Amino acid sequence: MKTARKIISAAVAAAFSLTALSGCVPHTELNEKAIILAIGIDYKDDMFKVNFQYYNPTGIGGRTLVDNSQPNVMTSKGEGENIYAALEDAAFRCGRELMLGVTQIIVIGEDAAKYSVIKVMEFSKSFFQSHPDMLVTVAEGDAEELMKVKFSEGIVSTQKLKFMLTNAEKSGIAGLPNAIELFTALQTNRKSAALPRLRLIDNESDASEEGKTIEISGGVLINDGKAVRDVDIEVMSGLEILCCKTETGTVTVEYEGEKISVGLVNIKTKIKPSFEDGRLVFTVDLTSGGRFLVTPQGTYEENNRELEILCGDEIIKRMKAAVKQTVFECGADPFLLEKTVRHYNYKLWKDVEENFGEYLKNAKFKFGAHIEIDKLILSK
């Protein structure tokens, strides 16, 4: 009986202690935080400048944190010698503790990207709350201007921009690396990547409060950790295929006086490295199914193979353009050929590692594409 009483007394004492101590634990209410949705990062006058959009939790009458009857985001900014210091300055200016756990998009300004993407992205590993799935893009001009655009479409302003970017990736238009993928790419020998390029344009019919909208205007090639050149949509599409990041896409070819659009499905790309006559050789084989997006006027069952070859040639054209502007002209490795060589032949990698950039510039690529168009929908 005495033992039971001791156990009960100890339990009551422990419960009382926990209740008493619970009020001493430091905490911040959700409405006292700046819940950051998007960050724009610029580099001017030897200083990093951050601008960000964050939830507006102060709308009156809303049941949830965001009241759709009120402006759903607010903006703040800060500056410092590094990104972490700039974020600390921004927290001081807006009077809220920063929360990056739900941040959706990072927009790197043009000058900041040319200075050092590596330095820009350092905060994603040093700021413990940062989200590894943040999508990373580059602005034409200053990122600050893009952060001023607030879309009324969607629950929050950044939702429209995120949908636009993710749909571009699904359609095979442009690859979209997140923070962890970019950070991994920047640890490789060539420190290369390709990021979507965003452009601010006037469009009064769009759902922006300022009468402006944002579009994807191509991409930016990162090499040795910084932006080295702009590339167009065709190159970005070719890079996405070479990176094996898309399973769908669209090809338009001309056949017998008619423009025929084919939707590609189940795209698979295999890259096999080898070494011949002192040069790296990469054999690229692509396979894909195909479906007509618009029913052709003619009947092409007998010429089906010709259409498949034309589609394959168009895809190879995109991949060749991507390789030419990134690998041959810059010695960059935005589709991680380093990883491919390491996987297939580690001894070969050790032989070429020291001068990998030069080996890439002089590499040989052999392309092959096999498209199978669904015959059930070839004719009316």
Side-chain angles (χ1 to χ4, degrees):
M1 182 64 72
K2 290 183 179 181
T3 302
R5 287 178 180 177
K6 288 181 179 180
I7 294 174
I8 294 173
S9 298
V12 171
F16 179 79
S17 299
L18 290 173
T19 304
L21 291 173
S22 62
C24 300
V25 177
H27 70 284
T28 305
E29 296 294 338
L30 198 58
N31 62 1
E32 296 174 1
K33 290 179 178 285
I35 305 173
I36 298 176
L37 303 169
I39 305 176
I41 301 173
D42 292 305
Y43 186 73
K44 301 285 185 183
D45 304 322
D46 298 326
M47 297 285 282
F48 284 102
K49 302 177 185 295
V50 299
N51 293 266
F52 55 82
Q53 295 184 1
Y54 65 97
Y55 278 121
N56 173 19
T58 58
I60 299 174
R63 292 185 176 181
T64 59
L65 184 62
V66 178
D67 180 7
N68 288 335
S69 67
Q70 305 293 330
N72 58 24
V73 295
M74 299 179 71
T75 57
S76 185
K77 60 183 179 180
E79 61 181 48
E81 294 182 352
N82 54 57
I83 304 298
Y84 191 85
L87 288 170
E88 289 292 310
D89 182 51
F92 174 76
R93 292 190 188 195
C94 73
R96 296 175 184 272
E97 180 182 336
L98 304 186
M99 179 178 176
L100 280 72
V102 295
T103 305
Q104 298 175 334
I105 299 168
I106 300 172
V107 181
I108 305 174
E110 186 174 342
D111 290 338
K114 290 178 179 178
Y115 173 65
S116 176
V117 174
I118 292 176
K119 289 186 179 296
V120 168
M121 294 303 298
E122 281 179 349
F123 86 96
S124 65
K125 60 177 181 178
S126 62
F127 205 93
F128 72 94
Q129 287 184 343
S130 61
H131 199 287
D133 289 334
M134 295 182 288
L135 306 180
V136 187
T137 65
V138 176
E140 285 189 9
D142 293 340
E144 178 181 4
E145 297 303 313
L146 272 67
M147 289 298 100
K148 292 178 181 178
V149 178
K150 301 175 184 177
F151 294 106
S152 56
E153 179 182 333
I155 298 176
V156 292
S157 175
T158 54
Q159 187 172 353
K160 177 181 173 66
L161 181 57
K162 183 178 181 181
F163 284 168
M164 179 187 72
L165 291 167
T166 53
N167 285 336
E169 183 175 52
K170 290 178 181 178
S171 302
I173 296 173
L176 189 59
N178 57 33
I180 191 65
E181 290 172 337
L182 178 58
F183 179 76
T184 301
L186 294 175
Q187 309 308 305
T188 60
N189 181 284
R190 301 305 304 150
K191 301 177 177 61
S192 301
L195 303 177
R197 186 174 72 249
L198 301 181
R199 175 188 296 161
L200 185 64
I201 59 174
D202 294 324
N203 187 352
E204 295 182 359
S205 64
D206 197 54
S208 145
E209 296 174 4
E210 296 78 14
K212 295 181 180 294
T213 191
I214 299 171
E215 67 175 9
I216 300 174
S217 58
V220 176
L221 176 65
I222 310 300
N223 194 37
D224 198 24
K226 58 186 177 182
V228 294
R229 72 176 300 173
D230 292 343
V231 294
D232 60 24
I233 290 292
E234 181 183 56
V235 169
M236 289 297 287
S237 175
L239 285 173
E240 188 173 11
I241 293 170
L242 286 163
C243 290
C244 308
K245 292 195 68 175
T246 182
E247 292 188 353
T248 59
T250 305
V251 175
T252 300
V253 297
E254 188 167 341
Y255 186 75
E256 294 187 355
E258 183 180 357
K259 289 189 178 297
I260 301 173
S261 293
V262 176
L264 303 179
V265 293
N266 299 321
I267 299 174
K268 305 293 181 186
T269 308
K270 293 183 179 180
I271 303 177
K272 185 176 180 179
S274 58
F275 198 75
E276 301 174 8
D277 300 324
R279 300 171 65 188
L280 278 173
V281 178
F282 295 97
T283 303
V284 182
D285 288 317
L286 178 143
T287 60
S288 174
R291 298 191 179 99
F292 284 113
L293 300 179
V294 178
T295 305
Q297 296 179 4
T299 302
Y300 300 130
E301 284 90 341
E302 295 180 357
N303 304 321
N304 187 48
R305 184 57 189 151
E306 292 181 35
L307 281 170
E308 292 172 341
I309 292 173
L310 287 173
C311 291
D313 289 345
E314 176 60 29
I315 292 296
I316 289 175
K317 177 185 172 185
R318 295 182 194 178
M319 292 191 290
K320 284 183 174 180
V323 169
K324 178 179 181 294
Q325 293 189 31
T326 61
V327 177
F328 293 159
E329 296 180 2
C330 299
D333 184 19
F335 35 95
L336 298 182
L337 292 172
E338 171 185 330
K339 181 180 177 181
T340 303
V341 177
R342 282 175 178 269
H343 174 74
Y344 276 93
N345 191 332
Y346 187 72
K347 183 180 181 303
L348 173 60
W349 165 248
K350 298 307 292 183
D351 291 340
V352 302
E353 179 180 8
E354 186 174 350
N355 298 306
F356 189 53
E358 291 303 314
Y359 276 110
L360 283 179
K361 286 183 178 180
N362 296 291
K364 181 179 180 180
F365 284 77
K366 300 177 181 179
F367 294 97
H370 181 69
I371 313 295
E372 291 188 3
I373 299 176
D374 190 346
K375 295 181 181 180
L376 295 178
I377 51 176
L378 276 173
S379 60
K380 290 184 177 179

